[in-house]
Coordinates of all heavy atoms in Angstrom, one line a residue:
M29 N -9.9 -57.8 33.4 CA -8.6 -57.5 33.9 C -8.5 -56.1 34.5 O -8.0 -56.0 35.5 CB -7.7 -57.7 32.7 CG -6.2 -57.7 33.3 SD -5.6 -59.3 33.3 CE -4.0 -59.0 32.8
A30 N -9.2 -55.1 33.7 CA -9.0 -53.8 34.2 C -9.8 -53.6 35.5 O -9.5 -52.9 36.5 CB -9.5 -52.8 33.1
D31 N -10.8 -54.4 35.7 CA -11.8 -54.4 36.9 C -10.8 -54.8 38.2 O -11.0 -54.3 39.2 CB -12.9 -55.2 36.7 CG -14.0 -54.7 35.8 OD1 -13.9 -53.4 35.6 OD2 -14.7 -55.5 35.2
A32 N -10.2 -55.9 38.0 CA -9.3 -56.3 39.1 C -8.2 -55.3 39.5 O -8.0 -55.1 40.7 CB -8.6 -57.6 38.7
A33 N -7.7 -54.7 38.5 CA -6.6 -53.6 38.8 C -7.2 -52.4 39.4 O -6.7 -51.7 40.2 CB -5.9 -53.2 37.6
A34 N -8.4 -52.2 39.2 CA -9.2 -50.9 39.7 C -9.4 -51.0 41.1 O -9.4 -50.0 41.9 CB -10.5 -50.8 38.9
G35 N -9.6 -52.3 41.6 CA -9.7 -52.5 43.1 C -8.5 -52.5 43.9 O -8.6 -52.3 45.1
R36 N -7.4 -52.6 43.3 CA -6.2 -52.5 44.0 C -5.6 -51.1 44.2 O -5.8 -50.3 43.2 CB -5.0 -53.2 43.1 CG -5.2 -54.6 43.1 CD -4.0 -55.5 42.5 NE -4.5 -56.7 42.1 CZ -4.0 -57.4 41.0 NH1 -3.2 -56.7 40.1 NH2 -4.4 -58.5 40.7
R37 N -5.0 -50.9 45.3 CA -4.5 -49.6 45.6 C -3.0 -49.5 45.1 O -2.4 -50.5 45.4 CB -4.6 -49.4 47.2 CG -4.4 -47.9 47.5 CD -4.5 -47.8 49.0 NE -5.8 -48.0 49.5 CZ -6.3 -48.1 50.7 NH1 -5.3 -47.8 51.6 NH2 -7.4 -48.3 51.1
A38 N -2.6 -48.5 44.5 CA -1.3 -48.3 44.2 C -0.3 -48.4 45.4 O -0.8 -47.7 46.5 CB -0.9 -47.0 43.3
P39 N 0.9 -49.0 45.4 CA 1.6 -49.0 46.6 C 2.2 -47.5 46.8 O 2.4 -46.7 45.9 CB 2.9 -49.8 46.3 CG 2.8 -49.9 44.7 CD 1.4 -49.7 44.4
Y40 N 2.1 -47.2 48.2 CA 2.4 -45.9 48.6 C 3.9 -45.7 48.7 O 4.6 -46.6 49.3 CB 1.7 -45.4 49.9 CG 2.0 -44.1 50.5 CD1 1.2 -43.1 50.0 CD2 3.0 -43.9 51.4 CE1 1.4 -41.8 50.4 CE2 3.3 -42.5 51.8 CZ 2.5 -41.6 51.3 OH 2.6 -40.2 51.7
T41 N 4.6 -44.7 48.2 CA 6.0 -44.6 48.4 C 6.3 -43.3 49.1 O 5.6 -42.3 48.9 CB 6.7 -44.4 46.9 OG1 6.0 -43.4 46.2 CG2 6.7 -45.9 46.2
F42 N 7.1 -43.4 50.1 CA 7.4 -42.4 50.9 C 8.4 -41.3 50.2 O 9.4 -41.8 49.6 CB 8.1 -42.8 52.2 CG 7.2 -43.5 53.2 CD1 6.7 -44.8 52.8 CD2 6.8 -43.0 54.2 CE1 5.9 -45.4 53.6 CE2 5.9 -43.7 55.3 CZ 5.5 -44.9 54.8
D43 N 8.2 -40.0 50.2 CA 9.1 -39.2 49.6 C 9.9 -38.4 50.8 O 9.8 -38.8 51.9 CB 8.4 -38.1 48.7 CG 7.4 -37.2 49.5 OD1 7.4 -37.2 50.8 OD2 6.7 -36.5 48.8
D44 N 10.7 -37.4 50.4 CA 11.6 -36.8 51.4 C 10.8 -36.1 52.6 O 11.1 -36.1 53.6 CB 12.5 -35.8 50.8 CG 13.6 -36.5 49.9 OD1 13.7 -37.7 50.0 OD2 14.1 -35.7 48.9
V45 N 9.6 -35.6 52.1 CA 8.8 -34.8 53.2 C 8.2 -35.8 54.1 O 8.2 -35.7 55.3 CB 7.7 -34.0 52.5 CG1 6.8 -33.4 53.5 CG2 8.4 -32.9 51.6
D46 N 7.8 -37.0 53.7 CA 7.2 -38.0 54.5 C 8.3 -38.5 55.5 O 8.1 -38.6 56.7 CB 6.7 -39.3 53.7 CG 5.5 -38.9 52.8 OD1 4.8 -38.1 53.3 OD2 5.5 -39.6 51.7
H47 N 9.6 -38.8 55.0 CA 10.6 -39.3 55.9 C 10.9 -38.2 56.9 O 11.2 -38.6 58.0 CB 11.8 -39.6 55.0 CG 11.7 -40.8 54.3 ND1 11.8 -42.1 54.9 CD2 11.4 -41.2 52.9 CE1 11.6 -43.1 54.0 NE2 11.5 -42.5 52.8
A48 N 10.9 -36.9 56.4 CA 11.2 -35.9 57.4 C 10.2 -35.8 58.5 O 10.5 -35.6 59.7 CB 11.4 -34.5 56.7
I49 N 9.0 -35.9 58.1 CA 7.8 -35.9 59.3 C 8.0 -37.0 60.2 O 8.0 -36.9 61.4 CB 6.5 -35.9 58.5 CG1 6.2 -34.7 57.7 CG2 5.4 -36.4 59.4 CD1 4.9 -34.8 56.7
L50 N 8.4 -38.1 59.6 CA 8.5 -39.4 60.5 C 9.7 -39.2 61.4 O 9.7 -39.7 62.6 CB 8.6 -40.7 59.7 CG 7.3 -41.0 59.0 CD1 7.5 -42.2 58.1 CD2 6.1 -41.2 60.0
R51 N 10.8 -38.7 60.9 CA 12.0 -38.3 61.8 C 11.6 -37.5 63.0 O 12.0 -37.7 64.0 CB 13.1 -37.8 60.8 CG 14.0 -38.8 60.2 CD 15.3 -38.2 59.8 NE 15.1 -37.1 58.7 CZ 14.9 -37.2 57.4 NH1 14.7 -38.5 56.9 NH2 14.6 -36.3 56.7
V52 N 11.0 -36.3 62.6 CA 10.6 -35.4 63.7 C 9.8 -36.0 64.7 O 9.9 -35.9 66.0 CB 9.9 -34.2 63.1 CG1 9.3 -33.3 64.2 CG2 10.9 -33.4 62.3
L53 N 8.7 -36.8 64.3 CA 7.9 -37.5 65.2 C 8.6 -38.7 65.9 O 8.2 -39.0 67.1 CB 6.6 -38.1 64.5 CG 5.7 -37.0 64.0 CD1 4.6 -37.6 63.2 CD2 5.1 -36.3 65.1
G54 N 9.5 -39.2 65.3 CA 10.4 -40.4 65.8 C 11.2 -39.7 67.2 O 11.2 -40.4 68.1
R55 N 11.6 -38.6 67.0 CA 12.3 -37.9 68.1 C 11.3 -37.2 69.1 O 11.7 -37.3 70.2 CB 13.3 -36.8 67.6 CG 14.5 -37.3 67.0 CD 15.5 -36.3 66.5 NE 15.0 -35.3 65.5 CZ 15.2 -35.4 64.2 NH1 15.9 -36.4 63.8 NH2 14.7 -34.6 63.4
E56 N 10.4 -36.6 68.6 CA 9.2 -36.1 69.6 C 7.9 -36.4 69.1 O 7.2 -35.8 68.5 CB 9.5 -34.4 69.5 CG 10.8 -34.0 69.9 CD 10.8 -32.6 70.0 OE1 9.9 -31.9 70.5 OE2 11.7 -31.9 69.5
P57 N 7.5 -37.6 69.7 CA 6.1 -38.2 69.3 C 5.0 -37.3 69.5 O 3.9 -37.3 68.9 CB 6.0 -39.5 70.0 CG 7.4 -39.7 70.5 CD 8.2 -38.3 70.5
R58 N 5.0 -36.3 70.5 CA 3.9 -35.6 71.0 C 4.0 -34.1 70.4 O 3.3 -33.2 70.8 CB 3.8 -35.6 72.4 CG 3.6 -36.9 73.0 CD 3.2 -36.9 74.3 NE 2.2 -36.1 74.7 CZ 1.8 -35.7 76.0 NH1 2.4 -36.2 77.1 NH2 0.8 -35.0 76.3
A59 N 5.0 -34.0 69.4 CA 5.2 -32.6 68.9 C 3.7 -32.2 68.1 O 3.1 -33.0 67.4 CB 6.2 -32.7 67.9
P60 N 3.3 -31.0 68.3 CA 2.2 -30.4 67.6 C 2.4 -30.4 66.0 O 3.6 -30.3 65.6 CB 1.9 -29.1 68.1 CG 2.8 -28.8 69.3 CD 3.9 -29.9 69.2
L61 N 1.5 -30.6 65.3 CA 1.5 -30.8 63.7 C 2.1 -29.4 63.2 O 2.9 -29.4 62.4 CB 0.3 -30.9 63.1 CG -0.4 -32.4 63.5 CD1 -1.7 -32.5 62.7 CD2 0.6 -33.6 63.3
A62 N 1.8 -28.3 63.9 CA 2.4 -27.0 63.5 C 3.9 -27.1 63.5 O 4.6 -26.5 62.8 CB 1.7 -25.8 64.2
E63 N 4.4 -27.5 64.8 CA 5.8 -27.6 65.0 C 6.5 -28.4 64.1 O 7.6 -28.2 63.6 CB 6.0 -28.0 66.5 CG 7.6 -28.0 66.8 CD 7.7 -28.4 68.3 OE1 6.7 -28.0 69.1 OE2 8.7 -29.1 68.6
V64 N 5.9 -29.6 63.7 CA 6.4 -30.7 62.8 C 6.5 -29.9 61.5 O 7.6 -30.0 60.8 CB 5.6 -31.9 62.7 CG1 6.0 -32.9 61.7 CG2 5.5 -32.7 64.1
G65 N 5.4 -29.2 61.1 CA 5.5 -28.5 59.8 C 6.5 -27.6 59.7 O 7.2 -27.3 58.7
D66 N 6.7 -26.7 60.8 CA 7.8 -25.7 60.8 C 9.1 -26.3 60.6 O 9.9 -25.8 59.8 CB 7.7 -25.0 62.2 CG 6.6 -24.0 62.2 OD1 6.0 -23.6 61.2 OD2 6.4 -23.5 63.3
R67 N 9.4 -27.5 61.3 CA 10.7 -28.1 61.2 C 11.0 -28.7 59.7 O 12.1 -28.8 59.4 CB 10.8 -29.3 62.3 CG 10.9 -28.7 63.6 CD 11.1 -29.7 64.7 NE 11.3 -29.2 66.0 CZ 11.7 -29.9 66.9 NH1 12.0 -31.2 66.8 NH2 11.7 -29.3 68.2
V68 N 9.8 -29.2 59.2 CA 10.0 -29.8 57.9 C 9.9 -28.8 56.7 O 10.4 -29.0 55.7 CB 8.9 -31.0 57.8 CG1 8.8 -31.5 56.3 CG2 9.0 -32.0 58.7
G69 N 9.3 -27.7 57.0 CA 9.1 -26.6 56.0 C 7.8 -26.7 55.2 O 7.8 -26.3 54.0
V70 N 6.8 -27.3 55.8 CA 5.4 -27.4 55.1 C 4.5 -26.9 56.1 O 4.6 -26.9 57.3 CB 5.2 -28.8 54.7 CG1 6.1 -29.3 53.6 CG2 5.2 -29.8 55.8
H71 N 3.2 -26.7 55.7 CA 2.2 -26.3 56.5 C 1.7 -27.5 57.4 O 1.8 -28.6 56.9 CB 1.0 -25.8 55.6 CG -0.1 -25.0 56.4 ND1 -1.2 -25.7 57.0 CD2 -0.2 -23.8 56.6 CE1 -1.9 -24.8 57.5 NE2 -1.5 -23.6 57.3
E72 N 1.1 -27.1 58.5 CA 0.6 -28.2 59.3 C -0.5 -29.0 58.7 O -0.6 -30.1 59.1 CB 0.0 -27.6 60.8 CG -1.1 -26.7 60.6 CD -1.6 -26.1 62.0 OE1 -2.0 -26.8 62.9 OE2 -1.3 -24.8 62.2
R73 N -1.4 -28.5 58.0 CA -2.2 -29.2 57.2 C -1.8 -30.2 56.2 O -2.2 -31.3 56.2 CB -3.3 -28.3 56.4 CG -4.6 -28.8 56.0 CD -5.5 -29.3 57.2 NE -6.2 -30.4 56.8 CZ -6.3 -31.6 57.4 NH1 -5.9 -31.6 58.7 NH2 -6.9 -32.5 57.0
T74 N -0.6 -29.9 55.7 CA 0.1 -30.9 54.9 C 0.6 -31.9 55.6 O 0.6 -33.2 55.3 CB 1.3 -30.2 54.2 OG1 0.8 -29.2 53.4 CG2 2.1 -31.1 53.3
V75 N 1.2 -31.7 56.9 CA 1.6 -32.8 57.8 C 0.3 -33.7 58.2 O 0.5 -34.9 58.2 CB 2.2 -32.3 59.1 CG1 2.5 -33.3 60.0 CG2 3.4 -31.4 58.8
A76 N -0.7 -33.2 58.5 CA -1.9 -34.0 58.8 C -2.4 -34.8 57.6 O -2.7 -36.1 57.9 CB -3.1 -33.1 59.3
R77 N -2.4 -34.3 56.4 CA -3.0 -35.0 55.3 C -2.0 -36.1 55.1 O -2.3 -37.3 54.8 CB -3.1 -34.1 54.1 CG -4.3 -33.4 54.0 CD -4.5 -32.8 52.7 NE -3.5 -31.9 52.2 CZ -3.4 -30.7 52.5 NH1 -4.3 -30.1 53.1 NH2 -2.3 -29.8 52.0
R78 N -0.6 -36.0 55.1 CA 0.3 -36.9 54.8 C 0.3 -38.0 55.8 O 0.5 -39.3 55.6 CB 1.7 -36.4 54.7 CG 2.0 -35.6 53.4 CD 3.2 -34.9 53.2 NE 3.4 -34.4 52.0 CZ 4.2 -34.9 51.1 NH1 5.0 -36.0 51.3 NH2 4.4 -34.3 49.9
L79 N 0.2 -37.7 57.3 CA 0.0 -38.7 58.2 C -1.4 -39.5 58.1 O -1.2 -40.7 58.3 CB 0.0 -38.0 59.6 CG 1.3 -37.6 60.1 CD1 1.3 -36.7 61.4 CD2 2.4 -38.6 60.3
D80 N -2.4 -38.9 57.6 CA -3.6 -39.6 57.4 C -3.4 -40.6 56.4 O -3.7 -41.8 56.4 CB -4.7 -38.6 57.0 CG -5.3 -37.9 58.1 OD1 -5.1 -38.3 59.3 OD2 -5.9 -36.9 57.9
R81 N -2.6 -40.2 55.2 CA -2.5 -41.0 54.2 C -1.5 -42.1 54.5 O -1.7 -43.4 54.1 CB -1.8 -40.2 53.0 CG -1.8 -41.0 51.6 CD -1.3 -40.1 50.4 NE -1.7 -38.8 50.6 CZ -0.8 -37.7 50.3 NH1 0.4 -37.9 49.8 NH2 -1.2 -36.4 50.4
M82 N -0.5 -42.0 55.3 CA 0.5 -43.0 55.6 C -0.1 -44.0 56.6 O 0.0 -45.2 56.5 CB 1.7 -42.4 56.2 CG 2.7 -41.6 55.3 SD 4.2 -41.1 56.1 CE 3.7 -39.5 56.7
T83 N -1.0 -43.5 57.6 CA -1.8 -44.4 58.5 C -2.7 -45.3 57.7 O -3.0 -46.4 58.1 CB -2.2 -43.6 59.7 OG1 -3.1 -42.7 59.2 CG2 -1.2 -43.1 60.5
A84 N -3.4 -44.6 56.7 CA -4.5 -45.2 56.0 C -3.9 -46.5 55.3 O -4.6 -47.5 55.0 CB -5.2 -44.4 55.1
T85 N -2.7 -46.5 54.7 CA -2.1 -47.5 54.1 C -1.6 -48.7 54.9 O -1.4 -49.8 54.5 CB -0.8 -47.0 53.3 OG1 0.2 -46.6 54.2 CG2 -1.1 -45.9 52.2
G86 N -1.6 -48.4 56.3 CA -1.1 -49.5 57.2 C 0.3 -49.5 57.4 O 0.9 -50.3 58.0
L87 N 1.1 -48.7 56.6 CA 2.6 -48.7 56.7 C 3.0 -48.0 57.9 O 4.2 -48.2 58.3 CB 3.1 -48.1 55.3 CG 2.9 -48.9 54.1 CD1 3.4 -48.0 53.0 CD2 3.6 -50.2 54.0
V88 N 2.2 -47.1 58.5 CA 2.6 -46.3 59.6 C 1.4 -46.5 60.6 O 0.3 -46.4 60.3 CB 2.7 -44.8 59.3 CG1 3.0 -44.0 60.6 CG2 4.0 -44.6 58.4
R89 N 1.9 -46.8 61.7 CA 0.9 -47.0 62.9 C 1.4 -46.4 64.2 O 2.6 -46.4 64.5 CB 0.8 -48.5 63.1 CG -0.1 -49.0 64.2 CD -0.2 -50.6 64.2 NE 1.0 -51.1 63.9 CZ 1.3 -52.3 63.5 NH1 0.2 -53.1 63.2 NH2 2.5 -52.8 63.3
F90 N 0.4 -45.7 65.0 CA 0.8 -45.1 66.1 C 0.2 -46.0 67.3 O -1.0 -46.3 67.1 CB 0.3 -43.7 66.2 CG 0.9 -42.8 65.2 CD1 0.3 -42.7 64.0 CD2 2.0 -42.2 65.4 CE1 0.8 -41.8 63.0 CE2 2.7 -41.4 64.5 CZ 2.0 -41.1 63.3
T91 N 1.0 -46.0 68.4 CA 0.5 -46.9 69.5 C 0.7 -45.9 70.8 O 1.6 -45.2 70.9 CB 1.3 -48.2 69.6 OG1 2.7 -47.9 69.7 CG2 1.1 -49.0 68.4
A92 N 0.0 -46.4 71.8 CA 0.1 -45.7 73.1 C 0.3 -46.9 74.2 O -0.4 -47.9 74.2 CB -1.1 -44.9 73.4
S93 N 1.2 -46.7 75.2 CA 1.4 -47.6 76.2 C 0.8 -46.9 77.5 O 1.2 -45.7 77.8 CB 2.9 -47.9 76.4 OG 3.3 -48.4 75.3
L94 N -0.1 -47.6 78.1 CA -0.8 -47.1 79.3 C 0.1 -47.5 80.5 O 0.4 -48.8 80.6 CB -2.1 -47.3 79.4 CG -3.1 -47.0 78.1 CD1 -4.5 -47.5 78.3 CD2 -3.1 -45.4 78.1
V95 N 0.2 -46.7 81.4 CA 1.0 -47.1 82.7 C -0.1 -47.2 83.8 O -0.7 -46.2 84.3 CB 1.9 -46.0 83.1 CG1 2.7 -46.4 84.3 CG2 2.9 -45.8 81.9
P96 N -0.5 -48.5 84.2 CA -1.6 -48.7 85.1 C -1.5 -47.9 86.5 O -2.5 -47.4 86.9 CB -1.5 -50.2 85.4 CG -0.8 -50.8 84.1 CD 0.2 -49.6 83.9
E97 N -0.3 -47.7 87.0 CA -0.2 -47.0 88.2 C -0.7 -45.6 88.1 O -1.0 -45.0 89.2 CB 1.1 -47.2 88.9 CG 2.3 -46.8 88.1 CD 2.9 -47.9 87.3 OE1 2.3 -49.0 87.1 OE2 4.0 -47.8 87.0
Y98 N -0.6 -45.0 87.0 CA -0.9 -43.6 86.8 C -2.4 -43.5 86.6 O -2.9 -42.5 86.6 CB -0.1 -42.9 85.8 CG 1.4 -42.7 86.1 CD1 2.4 -43.4 85.5 CD2 1.6 -41.9 87.2 CE1 3.7 -43.3 85.8 CE2 3.0 -41.7 87.6 CZ 4.0 -42.4 86.8 OH 5.3 -42.1 87.2
L99 N -3.0 -44.6 86.2 CA -4.4 -44.6 85.9 C -5.3 -45.0 87.1 O -6.5 -45.2 87.0 CB -4.7 -45.6 84.7 CG -4.1 -45.2 83.4 CD1 -4.3 -46.3 82.5 CD2 -4.6 -43.9 83.0
G100 N -4.7 -45.3 88.3 CA -5.3 -45.6 89.4 C -5.6 -47.1 89.6 O -6.5 -47.5 90.3
E101 N -5.0 -47.8 88.8 CA -5.2 -49.3 88.7 C -4.3 -50.0 89.6 O -4.4 -51.2 89.7 CB -5.1 -49.9 87.2 CG -5.9 -49.2 86.3 CD -7.5 -49.4 86.5 OE1 -7.6 -50.6 86.8 OE2 -8.2 -48.6 86.3
G102 N -3.4 -49.5 90.3 CA -2.5 -50.2 91.2 C -1.3 -50.7 90.4 O -1.1 -50.4 89.1
L103 N -0.4 -51.5 90.8 CA 0.8 -52.1 90.3 C 0.3 -53.4 89.6 O -0.3 -54.2 90.1 CB 1.8 -52.3 91.4 CG 3.2 -52.8 90.8 CD1 3.9 -51.9 90.0 CD2 4.0 -53.1 92.0
V104 N 0.8 -53.5 88.4 CA 0.7 -54.8 87.6 C 2.1 -55.5 87.5 O 2.9 -54.7 86.9 CB -0.1 -54.5 86.3 CG1 -0.1 -55.8 85.4 CG2 -1.3 -53.8 86.5
A105 N 2.1 -56.7 87.8 CA 3.4 -57.4 87.5 C 3.1 -58.6 86.8 O 2.1 -59.3 86.9 CB 4.1 -57.9 88.9
E106 N 4.0 -58.9 85.7 CA 3.9 -60.1 84.8 C 5.0 -61.0 85.2 O 6.1 -60.4 85.3 CB 3.8 -59.6 83.4 CG 2.5 -58.9 83.2 CD 2.4 -58.6 81.6 OE1 3.2 -59.3 80.7 OE2 1.7 -57.6 81.2
S107 N 4.7 -62.2 85.3 CA 5.8 -63.1 85.5 C 5.6 -64.4 84.9 O 4.5 -65.0 84.9 CB 5.7 -63.5 87.2 OG 6.8 -64.5 87.3
P108 N 6.6 -64.7 84.0 CA 6.3 -66.0 83.2 C 6.5 -67.2 84.0 O 7.3 -67.2 85.0 CB 7.5 -66.0 82.1 CG 8.6 -65.1 82.8 CD 7.7 -64.1 83.6
S109 N 5.7 -68.2 83.8 CA 5.9 -69.4 84.5 C 5.9 -70.6 83.6 O 5.1 -70.7 82.6 CB 4.7 -69.6 85.5 OG 3.5 -69.5 84.9
P110 N 6.8 -71.5 83.8 CA 6.9 -72.7 82.9 C 5.6 -73.6 83.1 O 5.0 -73.7 84.0 CB 8.1 -73.4 83.4 CG 8.2 -73.0 84.8 CD 7.6 -71.6 84.9
A111 N 5.2 -74.0 81.9 CA 4.1 -74.9 81.9 C 4.6 -76.4 82.0 O 5.6 -76.8 81.6 CB 3.4 -74.9 80.5
R112 N 3.8 -77.1 82.8 CA 4.2 -78.6 83.0 C 3.3 -79.5 82.4 O 2.0 -79.2 82.2 CB 4.2 -78.8 84.6 CG 5.2 -78.1 85.4 CD 5.2 -78.7 86.7 NE 6.1 -77.8 87.5 CZ 6.5 -78.1 88.7 NH1 6.0 -79.2 89.3 NH2 7.4 -77.4 89.3
R113 N 3.7 -80.5 81.8 CA 2.9 -81.6 81.2 C 2.3 -82.4 82.1 O 2.8 -82.8 83.2 CB 3.6 -82.5 80.4 CG 4.3 -81.9 79.0 CD 4.9 -82.9 78.3 NE 5.3 -82.4 77.0 CZ 5.7 -83.1 76.0 NH1 5.9 -84.3 76.1 NH2 5.9 -82.5 74.8
A114 N 1.0 -82.6 81.9 CA 0.2 -83.6 82.8 C 0.5 -84.9 82.4 O 0.7 -85.3 81.3 CB -1.2 -83.3 82.6
G115 N 0.7 -85.8 83.4 CA 0.8 -87.2 83.2 C 2.2 -87.6 83.1 O 2.9 -88.2 82.7

């Protein structure tokens, strides 16, 4: 029984500092970690460690949206089309 529990990771709970970091990044996603730390009142390394921990749990995820026309790919348009039944 102890072996099964050893393989499980304790659930991560967000504290006030975690919430503050996420609030700052929610408003300014590209803010440098030093700036985030200054606003939250912690060192930038603390911000980095906490973000690493939050992303490792899968509870926080960062995504990027690429804009094709700025990448030299031209214009991309998506248009839904209804499917028709055969027969």
Side-chain angles (χ1 to χ4, degrees):
M29 188 107 141
D31 291 333
R36 290 188 198 144
R37 199 182 290 176
Y40 186 82
T41 55
F42 290 70
D43 64 12
D44 292 340
V45 174
D46 294 329
H47 284 286
I49 290 169
L50 294 174
R51 271 194 304 277
V52 170
L53 290 174
R55 285 190 293 267
E56 294 185 50
R58 296 184 62 187
L61 297 181
E63 183 179 325
V64 174
D66 287 344
R67 291 183 181 194
V68 174
V70 297
H71 192 272
E72 68 182 285
R73 194 63 214 135
T74 300
V75 174
R77 278 194 303 270
R78 285 176 176 255
L79 285 173
D80 287 345
R81 196 175 324 140
M82 287 186 275
T83 55
T85 64
L87 297 172
V88 173
R89 182 177 36 205
F90 295 95
T91 59
S93 297
L94 303 176
V95 181
E97 56 266 24
Y98 291 112
L99 299 173
E101 302 294 323
L103 182 63
V104 175
E106 294 182 19
S107 174
S109 58
R112 293 187 183 188
R113 284 189 175 183

